[in-house]
Amino acid sequence: MTAPIPLGMVGGGEGAFIGAVHRIAARMDGQFRLVAGALSSDADRAAASAQALGLDRSYDDFRQMARAEAGRPDGIRAVSIVTPNHLHAPAAVAFLDAGIHVICDKPLAATPDQARQIADAAARSTARFFLTHNYCALPMVREARAIVAEGGIGDLRLVQAEYLQGWLSGDVRSKQADWRTDPAQAGAGAIGDIGTHAWQLAAFVTGQTPVAVSAELSSMVPGRRVDDDVRASLRYASGARGGLWASQVATGRENGLSLRVFGTAGALDWRLDDAERLLHTPTGQPPRILTRAQDRSGSFRTPPGHPEGYLEGFANLYADIAAVIRGDNGPLSRLPGLADGLSGMGFIAAAQESSARDGAWVEVRP
Ligand code: SOE
């Protein structure tokens, strides 16, 4: 058994949601061991959270952590950044500059300027940057991508991506809601939090990224300072056309992520609430419902019929990242990283500009 890769974490202290998800995913295949953390900006909470998790080393400050860990022979080789969006850039820059690989939650950053800081740091670093767009690591999504790549739907014509949640339909106050609806911490609203997932998923499966968008961003809840609904029309350089709808005020919806793609020779239909099935309708042939039994990527741990899902998708990313850190670059082509993050930021900027200009078509600049 190869020794687990020592891992650190920034954010993810008591009461956090996504930090716990990353911790479970990182240890699912035994490839990482969490040994150090700057788990909260509040020193007492950071120490208490680290103690509760049995971490070897706890820090009050992520910059101090980056310096100290880089200087230790047994220091961390990778760090998970699971803070609110506005801290992604300072933390990522600190660890990339220290030569430590970064595994960052999405979206890339709160502002285009912060995104550029991450890109600059990644360019000058020997370490790699990964972005956890977790849904693209689900087996049937990887299978959908393979079908498109081998011509299973012909030439792409139409794309429809949706991510519908209802949990922010009211004036919700909670640790999760508070920072996501604060422009200073989140940057954007629904478009950043879940719109970028839909954007990345569509690009991952189709192999194409829209070149222009016409969008309307709305804030449906009175007093809300970020968007909570975005509708965008998409134009592709190939001539394909698409639509993306992401909403956090779609009352009653939980995590309604779905993707439909239509080509000259067939179509694919996938949805997160039935994530282990993929509908493929090749033109002129009977429809095929594919399950994990037909997945060719091997991205699972249990025999088909034993449901796997959200946590395992994250774990698939961590397993691939571990392989890359150990020197196998094979998984790189399916791992989301800086390019996906910059593309998502380009989508946010173009959609915001379009919305401000009453839906004008705006070029997407990565
Ligand atoms: C909250 O809206 C959230 O937790 C997002 O931040 C995640 O990225 C998404 O996967 C689920 O919903």
Side-chain angles (χ1 to χ4, degrees), residues 302-320:
T302 53
H306 299 98
E308 290 193 6
Y310 179 68
L311 294 171
E312 289 85 352
F314 265 94
N316 291 340
L317 290 182
Y318 271 89
D320 277 356

Side-chain angles (χ1 to χ4, degrees), residues 17 106 134-135 163 165 167 180 193-194 197 248 255 310:
F17 151 62
K106 46 45 59 184
N134 50 300
Y135 303 107
Y163 199 146
Q165 296 180 330
W167 70 291
R180 283 183 175 81
D193 196 40
I194 54 175
H197 273 313
Q248 292 181 313
N255 277 282
Y310 179 68

Side-chain angles (χ1 to χ4, degrees), residues 95-116:
F95 286 92
L96 287 169
D97 282 349
I100 293 168
H101 303 293
V102 170
I103 304 164
C104 186
D105 208 64
K106 46 45 59 184
L108 181 60
T111 66
D113 186 48
Q114 291 169 5
R116 269 190 299 278

Side-chain angles (χ1 to χ4, degrees), residues 150-206:
E150 67 198 13
I153 65 163
D155 296 333
L156 185 69
R157 279 180 171 156
L158 309 171
V159 178
Q160 191 65 30
E162 293 180 4
Y163 199 146
L164 306 185
Q165 296 180 330
W167 70 291
L168 289 177
S169 291
D171 185 16
V172 184
R173 300 290 161 93
S174 68
K175 187 177 165 85
Q176 297 307 320
D178 290 352
W179 74 258
R180 283 183 175 81
T181 54
D182 174 5
Q185 295 185 74
I191 190 172
D193 196 40
I194 54 175
T196 54
H197 273 313
W199 176 265
Q200 192 270 343
L201 185 76
F204 181 83
V205 169
T206 63

